[in-house]
Amino acid sequence: KDSMTGLKSWSYTGVMTCSGTSNISASRISITPDDPPDAPSSLTVDAISSSQIFLTWTDNSNDETGFIVERGTDCSDFTTIVTLSTDIQGYTDSVLNADQEYCYRVRATNSSGSSDYTDNKSDTTFPLDEYTLTVNKTGLGTGTVTGLGISCGGDCSGDYTDGTSVTLTSNPDSGSVFSSWAGCDTADGNSCTVTMDQTKYVTATFGSTFSSKYTITNLPETSTTGNYTLFWSVAGLASTSVTIHESSDINFNTYTPIFLNNFTGTSYSFSNKPDGTYYYRVGTNQSGFSGPASIVVARPTSGILRLVNNSSYILIDIVFNGTQQVSYPLGIVPGNSYDFVFNPTGTVNYSIGSGFYNDDESRHIWFVLSGSTIVPTGGITTITFNNPTIGELLSNFSSYRNWTGTYYCFNCPVIVNYAGFRINNNGTWQFYDNGDPLGSGSLILVEWSNYGNIIKFRFEPGGPVASYYLGGGYFTYDNGPAEYLKIQYFPD
């Protein structure tokens, strides 16, 4: 076996006879090795996923007919898992259990017997990913939600390994009914099922069986005088004791109640309210309260800066002219807005961050929008906070970023190969295989759900879906060879 090329050659002994100058014949003698082949060496064992381990070794013989790969636990009780043909120097052991150690050894074989084994080598497969399921309850009614690891009630979240199926059941209290689910993979009546392949949020809505329901029908969006009227309607049996809740907080964590006893009307007027944002809801303790309505009181000396959250995460860090506007656990949730009153008006320098609060009440910020704007007297200036584009995200907000993934191809000239993408800020990309350019195109966003940490996209219409793991800083894409289809790409 040639040490430089890896090619094998044989010497043959034959008999050649010649007749004149025209006929030449030769006979070939088959050769049977006298001894078993030399043992392979330099065995390496590397886990490459939660179910795969990749082996390589050095072929030191020139007369083997194959290699025998054996696997054991605790480097004992070995059994043969595969017999490979001559010259093979690598193998992927698949369909293994996650987070488990496996031990291997390899020997060469021919018709005269088998070589000594390589040294025993072992590695542990990757553990399965773990995701959190959080249950929220809403509506005019009350009840509990129960399921695997969930008793909500008090414990409204649980952690699950990748692929776990969780079935939740809603249990309305007396005087309440279950209304609907949100965030389920499948829902049927009181049952909701989710498969944990990312962090997920499920909302259970409970309704009241009380016969009346209050709805706010009219409230001006703004007032320059502080004088305005709140109107509402009631479906069903109306109560003669109605309560209005007034708050500066959309969640009504604190509020001022206005009790209207022996009251048969459906409107209430306010006068000379100070500048500010006011939220209202109407109802009774028995029937529950209406959804909120808001009004901004801003006299000509004031101006409004309206912050709209059009992103997938809560705005938890809002700084105007160096002053923080929110504190734990407050923020502007996706799809909502908040009006900030400025008096005096003028230039506002802002820095706005989205993300989550940590358990210690500190901020975990993922994206920041900063700049300056003008808030005019008596006017409304709007700032909209959007998700970054998929191109901005994957280029790390630079002009471009390179991503590289490793794949193994046993039928290729080289076993270990490198695939790479250059992803530009404008969403275009170029693909390289071992440094050779093979294609280009534009990214297509497929899914970016609220509060999600997995962002799905395509490199071309109708192509496989790639998954970017926001917290992990890598994405996976099924563009490898058949024996190693899924490739993980990491930034250079």
Side-chain angles (χ1 to χ4, degrees), residues 160-460:
Y160 306 89
T161 56
D162 187 17
T164 300
S165 178
V166 181
T167 298
L168 303 172
T169 302
S170 62
N171 310 285
D173 294 337
S174 177
S176 298
V177 293
F178 177 71
S179 298
S180 63
W181 295 102
C184 306
D185 292 334
T186 60
D188 183 12
N190 283 35
S191 294
C192 163
T193 301
V194 294
T195 299
M196 297 305 298
D197 54 4
Q198 59 179 303
T199 297
K200 291 192 174 181
Y201 297 82
V202 168
T203 298
T205 301
F206 294 89
S208 172
T209 58
F210 194 79
S211 59
S212 61
K213 179 179 180 181
Y214 287 80
T215 304
I216 294 178
T217 57
N218 185 267
L219 179 67
E221 290 186 359
T222 61
S223 171
T224 59
T225 63
N227 303 321
Y228 51 89
T229 300
L230 172 69
F231 294 87
W232 66 87
S233 65
V234 58
L237 181 62
S239 173
T240 58
S241 296
V242 179
T243 303
I244 300 173
H245 289 170
E246 179 185 84
S247 177
S248 60
D249 168 25
I250 191 173
N251 296 313
F252 291 86
N253 293 314
T254 60
Y255 56 83
T256 300
I258 302 171
F259 300 107
L260 305 176
N261 296 318
N262 299 318
F263 186 80
T264 58
T266 56
S267 66
Y268 185 83
S269 295
F270 299 84
S271 61
N272 200 31
K273 297 292 290 185
D275 287 1
T277 300
Y278 299 90
Y279 291 89
Y280 296 97
R281 61 187 182 187
V282 181
T284 69
N285 290 332
Q286 293 77 24
S287 65
F289 285 81
S290 68
S294 66
I295 183 172
V296 175
V297 177
R299 290 171 173 80
T301 57
S302 303
I304 302 297
L305 194 157
R306 178 169 294 164
L307 180 53
V308 180
N309 186 2
N310 197 32
S311 75
S312 297
Y313 308 98
I314 304 173
L315 301 185
I316 59 171
D317 189 58
I318 304 173
V319 178
F320 294 145
N321 293 332
T323 301
Q324 179 64 252
Q325 305 296 313
V326 295
S327 59
Y328 177 88
L330 303 179
I332 303 176
V333 299
N336 283 265
S337 63
Y338 193 89
D339 291 336
F340 297 86
V341 179
F342 282 82
N343 189 358
T345 57
T347 300
V348 176
N349 298 308
Y350 60 85
S351 176
I352 305 165
S354 67
F356 302 93
Y357 284 109
N358 297 315
D359 292 339
D360 62 358
E361 301 182 7
S362 63
R363 294 176 172 88
H364 182 86
I365 298 173
W366 277 358
F367 303 110
V368 175
L369 175 67
S370 60
S372 63
T373 189
I374 301 295
V375 177
T377 300
I380 298 177
T381 300
T382 300
I383 297 175
T384 301
F385 193 104
N386 298 305
N387 287 328
T389 66
I390 189 66
E392 291 171 335
L393 182 63
L394 295 181
S395 68
N396 197 31
F397 304 93
S398 301
S399 58
Y400 70 89
R401 197 177 200 185
N402 293 324
W403 297 77
T404 302
T406 304
Y407 68 92
Y408 301 90
C409 179
F410 305 115
N411 297 319
C412 300
V414 177
I415 294 177
V416 181
N417 297 268
Y418 300 95
F421 285 95
R422 170 167 287 190
I423 298 180
N424 303 305
N425 186 275
N426 63 3
T428 59
W429 56 266
Q430 296 82 39
F431 176 67
Y432 302 87
D433 187 21
N434 291 317
D436 297 325
L438 292 185
S440 61
S442 297
L443 300 175
I444 303 168
L445 180 64
V446 175
E447 179 182 343
W448 193 335
S449 59
N450 285 351
Y451 313 108
N453 65 344
I454 298 178
I455 302 163
K456 298 181 178 180
F457 61 98
R458 288 189 171 94
F459 283 93
E460 56 187 2

Side-chain angles (χ1 to χ4, degrees), residues 61-81:
S61 65
N62 59 12
D63 57 355
E64 88 276 4
T65 58
F67 293 92
I68 298 172
V69 181
E70 297 182 6
R71 181 180 67 215
T73 56
D74 299 325
C75 289
S76 62
D77 298 327
F78 285 95
T79 59
T80 298
I81 59 172

